[in-house]
PDB file of all heavy atoms in Angstrom:
ATOM      1  N   ASP A 289      30.458  11.523 -27.956  1.00 93.00           N
ATOM      2  CA  ASP A 289      31.211  11.781 -29.186  1.00 93.00           C
ATOM      3  C   ASP A 289      30.374  11.629 -30.394  1.00 93.00           C
ATOM      4  O   ASP A 289      29.403  10.863 -30.364  1.00 93.00           O
ATOM      5  CB  ASP A 289      32.444  10.846 -29.322  1.00 93.00           C
ATOM      6  CG  ASP A 289      33.241  10.736 -28.085  1.00 93.00           C
ATOM      7  OD1 ASP A 289      33.541  11.750 -27.461  1.00 93.00           O
ATOM      8  OD2 ASP A 289      33.576   9.577 -27.710  1.00 93.00           O
ATOM      9  N   PRO A 290      30.682  12.352 -31.502  1.00 96.00           N
ATOM     10  CA  PRO A 290      30.012  12.005 -32.783  1.00 96.00           C
ATOM     11  C   PRO A 290      30.471  10.594 -33.260  1.00 96.00           C
ATOM     12  O   PRO A 290      31.547  10.174 -32.825  1.00 96.00           O
ATOM     13  CB  PRO A 290      30.513  13.101 -33.736  1.00 96.00           C
ATOM     14  CG  PRO A 290      31.811  13.644 -33.103  1.00 96.00           C
ATOM     15  CD  PRO A 290      31.650  13.462 -31.658  1.00 96.00           C
ATOM     16  N   ALA A 291      29.657   9.988 -33.996  1.00 97.00           N
ATOM     17  CA  ALA A 291      29.963   8.595 -34.443  1.00 97.00           C
ATOM     18  C   ALA A 291      31.356   8.576 -35.123  1.00 97.00           C
ATOM     19  O   ALA A 291      31.711   9.459 -35.912  1.00 97.00           O
ATOM     20  CB  ALA A 291      28.924   8.134 -35.463  1.00 97.00           C
ATOM     21  N   THR A 292      32.127   7.535 -34.767  1.00 98.00           N
ATOM     22  CA  THR A 292      33.510   7.522 -35.234  1.00 98.00           C
ATOM     23  C   THR A 292      33.612   7.355 -36.752  1.00 98.00           C
ATOM     24  O   THR A 292      34.516   7.966 -37.376  1.00 98.00           O
ATOM     25  CB  THR A 292      34.218   6.267 -34.598  1.00 98.00           C
ATOM     26  OG1 THR A 292      33.979   6.290 -33.158  1.00 98.00           O
ATOM     27  CG2 THR A 292      35.718   6.371 -34.813  1.00 98.00           C
ATOM     28  N   PHE A 293      32.683   6.668 -37.398  1.00 98.00           N
ATOM     29  CA  PHE A 293      32.770   6.497 -38.861  1.00 98.00           C
ATOM     30  C   PHE A 293      32.528   7.838 -39.576  1.00 98.00           C
ATOM     31  O   PHE A 293      33.047   8.070 -40.646  1.00 98.00           O
ATOM     32  CB  PHE A 293      31.934   5.394 -39.396  1.00 98.00           C
ATOM     33  CG  PHE A 293      30.427   5.659 -39.343  1.00 98.00           C
ATOM     34  CD1 PHE A 293      29.776   6.307 -40.432  1.00 98.00           C
ATOM     35  CD2 PHE A 293      29.680   5.288 -38.241  1.00 98.00           C
ATOM     36  CE1 PHE A 293      28.400   6.506 -40.398  1.00 98.00           C
ATOM     37  CE2 PHE A 293      28.300   5.467 -38.228  1.00 98.00           C
ATOM     38  CZ  PHE A 293      27.690   6.126 -39.259  1.00 98.00           C
ATOM     39  N   ILE A 294      31.726   8.711 -38.961  1.00 98.00           N
ATOM     40  CA  ILE A 294      31.519  10.081 -39.515  1.00 98.00           C
ATOM     41  C   ILE A 294      32.822  10.810 -39.440  1.00 98.00           C
ATOM     42  O   ILE A 294      33.232  11.515 -40.412  1.00 98.00           O
ATOM     43  CB  ILE A 294      30.384  10.815 -38.796  1.00 98.00           C
ATOM     44  CG1 ILE A 294      29.065  10.047 -38.840  1.00 98.00           C
ATOM     45  CG2 ILE A 294      30.242  12.191 -39.399  1.00 98.00           C
ATOM     46  CD1 ILE A 294      28.413  10.007 -40.197  1.00 98.00           C
ATOM     47  N   GLN A 295      33.491  10.754 -38.320  1.00 98.00           N
ATOM     48  CA  GLN A 295      34.783  11.429 -38.205  1.00 98.00           C
ATOM     49  C   GLN A 295      35.799  10.863 -39.202  1.00 98.00           C
ATOM     50  O   GLN A 295      36.593  11.599 -39.787  1.00 98.00           O
ATOM     51  CB  GLN A 295      35.323  11.210 -36.772  1.00 98.00           C
ATOM     52  CG  GLN A 295      34.479  11.809 -35.695  1.00 98.00           C
ATOM     53  CD  GLN A 295      35.178  11.795 -34.280  1.00 98.00           C
ATOM     54  OE1 GLN A 295      36.335  12.195 -34.198  1.00 98.00           O
ATOM     55  NE2 GLN A 295      34.473  11.306 -33.311  1.00 98.00           N
ATOM     56  N   GLY A 296      35.745   9.550 -39.423  1.00 98.00           N
ATOM     57  CA  GLY A 296      36.667   8.977 -40.387  1.00 98.00           C
ATOM     58  C   GLY A 296      36.416   9.424 -41.801  1.00 98.00           C
ATOM     59  O   GLY A 296      37.322   9.440 -42.643  1.00 98.00           O
ATOM     60  N   ALA A 297      35.171   9.833 -42.091  1.00 98.00           N
ATOM     61  CA  ALA A 297      34.845  10.312 -43.442  1.00 98.00           C
ATOM     62  C   ALA A 297      35.167  11.753 -43.667  1.00 98.00           C
ATOM     63  O   ALA A 297      35.208  12.208 -44.835  1.00 98.00           O
ATOM     64  CB  ALA A 297      33.343  10.061 -43.688  1.00 98.00           C
ATOM     65  N   ILE A 298      35.433  12.498 -42.618  1.00 98.00           N
ATOM     66  CA  ILE A 298      35.586  13.947 -42.745  1.00 98.00           C
ATOM     67  C   ILE A 298      36.697  14.392 -43.688  1.00 98.00           C
ATOM     68  O   ILE A 298      36.519  15.301 -44.475  1.00 98.00           O
ATOM     69  CB  ILE A 298      35.777  14.578 -41.358  1.00 98.00           C
ATOM     70  CG1 ILE A 298      34.362  14.751 -40.720  1.00 98.00           C
ATOM     71  CG2 ILE A 298      36.433  15.937 -41.363  1.00 98.00           C
ATOM     72  CD1 ILE A 298      33.483  15.716 -41.475  1.00 98.00           C
ATOM     73  N   PRO A 299      37.907  13.784 -43.648  1.00 98.00           N
ATOM     74  CA  PRO A 299      38.947  14.226 -44.555  1.00 98.00           C
ATOM     75  C   PRO A 299      38.476  14.190 -46.014  1.00 98.00           C
ATOM     76  O   PRO A 299      38.746  15.129 -46.773  1.00 98.00           O
ATOM     77  CB  PRO A 299      40.111  13.229 -44.290  1.00 98.00           C
ATOM     78  CG  PRO A 299      39.901  12.857 -42.843  1.00 98.00           C
ATOM     79  CD  PRO A 299      38.432  12.760 -42.665  1.00 98.00           C
ATOM     80  N   GLN A 300      37.916  13.079 -46.449  1.00 98.00           N
ATOM     81  CA  GLN A 300      37.426  12.947 -47.810  1.00 98.00           C
ATOM     82  C   GLN A 300      36.321  13.986 -48.112  1.00 98.00           C
ATOM     83  O   GLN A 300      36.285  14.565 -49.208  1.00 98.00           O
ATOM     84  CB  GLN A 300      36.894  11.536 -48.014  1.00 98.00           C
ATOM     85  CG  GLN A 300      36.568  11.181 -49.486  1.00 98.00           C
ATOM     86  CD  GLN A 300      36.265   9.732 -49.683  1.00 98.00           C
ATOM     87  OE1 GLN A 300      36.746   8.896 -48.916  1.00 98.00           O
ATOM     88  NE2 GLN A 300      35.423   9.445 -50.637  1.00 98.00           N
ATOM     89  N   ILE A 301      35.380  14.219 -47.165  1.00 98.00           N
ATOM     90  CA  ILE A 301      34.330  15.186 -47.398  1.00 98.00           C
ATOM     91  C   ILE A 301      34.892  16.597 -47.589  1.00 98.00           C
ATOM     92  O   ILE A 301      34.528  17.303 -48.508  1.00 98.00           O
ATOM     93  CB  ILE A 301      33.343  15.114 -46.205  1.00 98.00           C
ATOM     94  CG1 ILE A 301      32.597  13.768 -46.153  1.00 98.00           C
ATOM     95  CG2 ILE A 301      32.320  16.304 -46.288  1.00 98.00           C
ATOM     96  CD1 ILE A 301      31.709  13.636 -44.951  1.00 98.00           C
ATOM     97  N   LEU A 302      35.743  17.001 -46.696  1.00 98.00           N
ATOM     98  CA  LEU A 302      36.251  18.384 -46.701  1.00 98.00           C
ATOM     99  C   LEU A 302      37.197  18.610 -47.878  1.00 98.00           C
ATOM    100  O   LEU A 302      37.249  19.696 -48.426  1.00 98.00           O
ATOM    101  CB  LEU A 302      36.961  18.689 -45.394  1.00 98.00           C
ATOM    102  CG  LEU A 302      36.137  18.695 -44.105  1.00 98.00           C
ATOM    103  CD1 LEU A 302      36.923  19.112 -42.924  1.00 98.00           C
ATOM    104  CD2 LEU A 302      34.901  19.620 -44.259  1.00 98.00           C
ATOM    105  N   GLU A 303      37.980  17.604 -48.239  1.00 98.00           N
ATOM    106  CA  GLU A 303      39.024  17.816 -49.245  1.00 98.00           C
ATOM    107  C   GLU A 303      38.531  17.575 -50.643  1.00 98.00           C
ATOM    108  O   GLU A 303      39.109  18.175 -51.603  1.00 98.00           O
ATOM    109  CB  GLU A 303      40.198  16.878 -48.943  1.00 98.00           C
ATOM    110  CG  GLU A 303      40.933  17.263 -47.642  1.00 98.00           C
ATOM    111  CD  GLU A 303      41.825  16.108 -47.141  1.00 98.00           C
ATOM    112  OE1 GLU A 303      42.090  15.167 -47.917  1.00 98.00           O
ATOM    113  OE2 GLU A 303      42.269  16.171 -45.989  1.00 98.00           O
ATOM    114  N   ASN A 304      37.498  16.772 -50.864  1.00 98.00           N
ATOM    115  CA  ASN A 304      37.181  16.346 -52.225  1.00 98.00           C
ATOM    116  C   ASN A 304      35.842  16.852 -52.755  1.00 98.00           C
ATOM    117  O   ASN A 304      35.565  16.615 -53.902  1.00 98.00           O
ATOM    118  CB  ASN A 304      37.140  14.794 -52.260  1.00 98.00           C
ATOM    119  CG  ASN A 304      38.528  14.198 -51.983  1.00 98.00           C
ATOM    120  OD1 ASN A 304      39.558  14.855 -52.054  1.00 98.00           O
ATOM    121  ND2 ASN A 304      38.552  12.916 -51.641  1.00 98.00           N
ATOM    122  N   THR A 305      35.073  17.551 -51.932  1.00 98.00           N
ATOM    123  CA  THR A 305      33.794  18.071 -52.428  1.00 98.00           C
ATOM    124  C   THR A 305      34.086  19.210 -53.426  1.00 98.00           C
ATOM    125  O   THR A 305      34.844  20.095 -53.139  1.00 98.00           O
ATOM    126  CB  THR A 305      32.905  18.663 -51.277  1.00 98.00           C
ATOM    127  OG1 THR A 305      32.700  17.618 -50.323  1.00 98.00           O
ATOM    128  CG2 THR A 305      31.588  19.113 -51.791  1.00 98.00           C
ATOM    129  N   LYS A 306      33.440  19.118 -54.614  1.00 97.00           N
ATOM    130  CA  LYS A 306      33.703  20.048 -55.721  1.00 97.00           C
ATOM    131  C   LYS A 306      32.929  21.386 -55.520  1.00 97.00           C
ATOM    132  O   LYS A 306      31.865  21.426 -54.876  1.00 97.00           O
ATOM    133  CB  LYS A 306      33.290  19.458 -57.042  1.00 97.00           C
ATOM    134  CG  LYS A 306      33.989  18.104 -57.339  1.00 97.00           C
ATOM    135  CD  LYS A 306      35.481  18.277 -57.409  1.00 97.00           C
ATOM    136  CE  LYS A 306      36.167  16.931 -57.765  1.00 97.00           C
ATOM    137  NZ  LYS A 306      37.629  17.017 -57.749  1.00 97.00           N
ATOM    138  N   ASP A 307      33.462  22.446 -56.066  1.00 97.00           N
ATOM    139  CA  ASP A 307      32.827  23.734 -55.956  1.00 97.00           C
ATOM    140  C   ASP A 307      31.459  23.834 -56.515  1.00 97.00           C
ATOM    141  O   ASP A 307      30.643  24.619 -56.085  1.00 97.00           O
ATOM    142  CB  ASP A 307      33.792  24.822 -56.587  1.00 97.00           C
ATOM    143  CG  ASP A 307      35.034  25.068 -55.791  1.00 97.00           C
ATOM    144  OD1 ASP A 307      35.022  24.756 -54.570  1.00 97.00           O
ATOM    145  OD2 ASP A 307      36.021  25.641 -56.333  1.00 97.00           O
ATOM    146  N   ASP A 308      31.182  22.996 -57.578  1.00 97.00           N
ATOM    147  CA  ASP A 308      29.925  23.130 -58.194  1.00 97.00           C
ATOM    148  C   ASP A 308      28.798  22.657 -57.285  1.00 97.00           C
ATOM    149  O   ASP A 308      27.654  23.137 -57.399  1.00 97.00           O
ATOM    150  CB  ASP A 308      29.852  22.317 -59.500  1.00 97.00           C
ATOM    151  CG  ASP A 308      30.129  20.849 -59.315  1.00 97.00           C
ATOM    152  OD1 ASP A 308      30.615  20.441 -58.207  1.00 97.00           O
ATOM    153  OD2 ASP A 308      29.931  20.078 -60.290  1.00 97.00           O
ATOM    154  N   PHE A 309      29.069  21.806 -56.339  1.00 97.00           N
ATOM    155  CA  PHE A 309      28.077  21.432 -55.339  1.00 97.00           C
ATOM    156  C   PHE A 309      27.717  22.651 -54.466  1.00 97.00           C
ATOM    157  O   PHE A 309      26.541  22.956 -54.264  1.00 97.00           O
ATOM    158  CB  PHE A 309      28.579  20.309 -54.447  1.00 97.00           C
ATOM    159  CG  PHE A 309      27.748  20.119 -53.246  1.00 97.00           C
ATOM    160  CD1 PHE A 309      26.486  19.460 -53.289  1.00 97.00           C
ATOM    161  CD2 PHE A 309      28.144  20.558 -51.970  1.00 97.00           C
ATOM    162  CE1 PHE A 309      25.681  19.339 -52.205  1.00 97.00           C
ATOM    163  CE2 PHE A 309      27.400  20.388 -50.831  1.00 97.00           C
ATOM    164  CZ  PHE A 309      26.115  19.748 -50.951  1.00 97.00           C
ATOM    165  N   PHE A 310      28.717  23.338 -53.989  1.00 98.00           N
ATOM    166  CA  PHE A 310      28.478  24.552 -53.154  1.00 98.00           C
ATOM    167  C   PHE A 310      27.771  25.603 -53.956  1.00 98.00           C
ATOM    168  O   PHE A 310      26.875  26.289 -53.460  1.00 98.00           O
ATOM    169  CB  PHE A 310      29.815  25.058 -52.596  1.00 98.00           C
ATOM    170  CG  PHE A 310      30.527  24.112 -51.727  1.00 98.00           C
ATOM    171  CD1 PHE A 310      31.861  23.806 -51.993  1.00 98.00           C
ATOM    172  CD2 PHE A 310      29.943  23.510 -50.642  1.00 98.00           C
ATOM    173  CE1 PHE A 310      32.609  22.941 -51.197  1.00 98.00           C
ATOM    174  CE2 PHE A 310      30.625  22.594 -49.861  1.00 98.00           C
ATOM    175  CZ  PHE A 310      31.942  22.324 -50.100  1.00 98.00           C
TER     176      PHE A 310
END
Side-chain angles (χ1 to χ4, degrees):
D289 311 314
T292 312
F293 70 89
I294 302 289
Q295 297 189 49
I298 278 297
Q300 188 173 329
I301 292 173
L302 296 183
E303 294 165 11
N304 297 342
T305 303
K306 304 299 183 184
D307 288 340
D308 60 348
F309 167 74
F310 299 127

